[in-house]
Amino acid sequence: MSRAAASPSPPLTPSAWDDVVARYLEALRLTHYAPDTVHVRGLYLKYFTAWAEARGIAQPEDVTRAVLERYQRWLYHYRKRTGAPLSVWSQHGRLVAVKGRCRWLTKQRALPANPAAELELPRVTARRLPQPLTDAEITEVLAHAEPTTPIGLRDRA
């Protein structure tokens, strides 16, 4: 059979997951979320979508509280290629993205109730800024700077 006579392949249509994620990210843009926030949320929702589809959850509307709790447990036990677990901040960020999508779907009346409403996020601790140097430490740093060299002059400044 010739190439011209072959029937054209059906156009690729986005999955229900892709459509919902795209519309949610557009809603974030319309409400002036930072571009980096929109990008990261999209990435985290892509991870969740892959996880859900691998478990036979075909539609975003099929997500229940039990599914979200299962995902949260999976994130806790997940290991990166290095063998290290995901940080608490990373787990938290991924769940915030999923929780936001569920809240948005509820507001759009695509879900009768928000399955993530009572989901407890991992507890994250505030990151502390480094403490300023003491007077003694400043004096020690300045004593080691050699003002006759460009680097030492820079360090002294």
Side-chain angles (χ1 to χ4, degrees), residues 111-123:
L111 296 176
N114 184 350
E118 295 181 15
L119 185 67
E120 282 193 49
L121 297 176
R123 186 170 175 210

Side-chain angles (χ1 to χ4, degrees), residues 30 45 144:
L30 291 173
L45 289 172
H144 292 295

Side-chain angles (χ1 to χ4, degrees), residues 130-151:
Q131 295 300 309
L133 297 176
T134 64
D135 289 342
E137 291 169 330
I138 291 171
T139 304
E140 184 179 336
V141 168
L142 291 176
H144 292 295
E146 182 61 50
T148 59
T149 66
I151 299 292

Side-chain angles (χ1 to χ4, degrees), residues 27-43:
L28 292 180
R29 285 186 202 93
L30 291 173
T31 52
H32 301 285
Y33 274 73
D36 287 344
T37 300
V38 175
H39 172 74
V40 170
R41 294 250 176 119
L43 186 64

Side-chain angles (χ1 to χ4, degrees), residues 74-76 78-80 84-91 94:
W74 182 83
L75 287 174
Y76 176 79
Y78 178 79
R79 294 295 178 259
K80 298 183 273 189
L86 290 176
S87 72
V88 175
W89 281 98
S90 185
Q91 293 174 47
R94 291 174 190 218

Side-chain angles (χ1 to χ4, degrees), residues 59-139:
Q59 301 290 323
E61 296 80 19
D62 296 338
V63 174
T64 63
R65 181 176 171 187
V67 168
L68 295 175
E69 288 170 346
R70 190 170 149 203
Y71 180 62
Q72 186 171 13
R73 277 190 303 279
W74 182 83
L75 287 174
Y76 176 79
H77 292 290
Y78 178 79
R79 294 295 178 259
K80 298 183 273 189
R81 281 182 246 166
T82 62
L86 290 176
S87 72
V88 175
W89 281 98
S90 185
Q91 293 174 47
H92 185 272
R94 291 174 190 218
L95 290 168
V96 164
V98 172
K99 215 173 165 173
R101 184 199 58 95
C102 289
R103 184 177 56 246
W104 179 79
L105 280 173
T106 305
K107 285 181 182 179
Q108 299 299 309
R109 307 232 190 280
L111 296 176
N114 184 350
E118 295 181 15
L119 185 67
E120 282 193 49
L121 297 176
R123 186 170 175 210
V124 292
T125 55
R127 296 180 184 169
R128 295 185 138 189
L129 294 174
Q131 295 300 309
L133 297 176
T134 64
D135 289 342
E137 291 169 330
I138 291 171
T139 304

